[in-house]
């Protein structure tokens, strides 16, 4: 009898442990531990990103190639970047939690250690991350950074924006973007 009760207690503890790993994103449960695929994966295809001045987007077989040609002396501007807006219903940042942004990208063999990709996360009317820089390595790799979401003080029409530059130097380097993932920790 004790063995049966011990077995039941173990099953209950395992079930409680599993449910404790669920993270709520957009009021839907999603297990970041069990699976990285899901509603918060944005696959890079034509029309997903928008190019600003000095940026060019070209569709490839497995993503979007972002080329950045701009004058880096224009500090604070978004020249040479492409952006992705997250309107109110799709914002994944939950106040008090950390938003992790993963960018699955590949650089050409010619990128070398001098090509640097830059990423900026902006909560319109609230706060922004600094430009985060990733030295690119040849081939496909996942680059990620974390952003601490503050308490939400904006109205329902809020928009968050992710800005990406393929080459922080503005010399025309290209990076192929495959997928962007938004995870809450």
């Amino acid at each position: 009898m004790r063995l049966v009760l011990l077995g039941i207690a173990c099953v209950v503890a395992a079930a409680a442990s599993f449910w404790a790993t669920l993270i709520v994103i957009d009021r839907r449960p999603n297990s970041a531990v069990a699976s990285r695929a899901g509603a918060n994966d944005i696959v890079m295809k034509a029309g997903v990103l928008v190019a600003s001045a000095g940026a060019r987007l070209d569709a490839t077989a497995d993503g979007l190639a972002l080329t950045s040609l701009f004058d880096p002396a224009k500090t604070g501007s978004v020249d040479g970047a492409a952006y992705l807006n997250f309107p109110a219903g799709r914002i994944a940042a939950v106040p008090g939690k950390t938003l992790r942004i993963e960018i699955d990208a590949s650089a050409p063999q010619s990128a070398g250690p001098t090509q640097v990709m830059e990423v900026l996360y902006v909560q319109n009317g609230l706060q922004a991350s600094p430009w985060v820089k990733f030295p690119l390595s040849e081939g496909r790799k996942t680059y990620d950074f974390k952003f601490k979401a503050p308490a939400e003080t904006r109205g329902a029409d809020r928009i968050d924006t992710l800005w990406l530059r393929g080459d922080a130097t503005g010399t025309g380097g290209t990076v192929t973007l495959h997928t962007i993932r938004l995870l809450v920790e």
Side-chain angles (χ1 to χ4, degrees):
M1 182 67 166
R2 288 183 192 166
L3 193 54
V4 171
L5 290 176
L6 181 61
I8 291 171
C10 287
V11 169
V12 169
S17 171
F18 171 77
W19 287 108
T21 62
L22 291 179
I23 299 172
V24 177
I25 301 175
D26 288 339
R27 290 181 230 101
R28 292 184 303 264
N30 183 6
S31 174
V33 175
S35 172
R36 292 189 173 280
N40 297 304
D41 279 11
I42 299 139
V43 177
M44 296 293 99
K45 56 186 177 184
V48 172
L49 287 176
V50 178
S52 68
R56 190 178 81 230
L57 290 168
D58 297 303
T60 66
D62 60 349
L64 286 174
L66 170 60
T67 304
S68 298
L69 258 171
F70 68 104
D71 181 359
K74 294 181 180 178
T75 58
S77 76
V78 291
D79 287 350
Y83 66 92
L84 174 63
N85 282 331
F86 303 104
R90 293 200 52 202
I91 293 174
V94 177
K97 299 283 187 177
T98 300
L99 174 64
R100 186 170 76 212
I101 299 165
E102 293 181 347
I103 301 156
D104 186 19
S106 56
Q109 188 173 18
S110 61
T114 59
Q115 187 173 337
V116 176
M117 177 174 62
E118 286 185 305
V119 180
L120 172 71
Y121 188 82
V122 178
Q123 290 179 296
N124 190 25
L126 197 55
Q127 77 174 22
S129 74
W131 280 98
V132 179
K133 299 176 185 273
F134 302 105
L136 295 175
S137 55
E138 179 187 335
R140 193 165 177 165
K141 184 178 176 188
T142 299
Y143 303 89
D144 71 280
F145 75 98
K146 295 181 179 183
F147 179 78
K148 185 77 172 174
E152 185 62 72
T153 58
R154 302 172 294 172
D157 59 346
R158 64 193 182 267
I159 294 177
D160 288 6
T161 305
L162 181 65
W163 290 91
L164 301 112
R165 277 191 184 122
D167 180 5
T169 65
T171 57
T174 299
V175 62
T176 301
L177 306 168
H178 305 287
T179 308
I180 295 173
R181 292 177 193 90
L182 302 174
L183 303 165
V184 174
E185 299 179 332

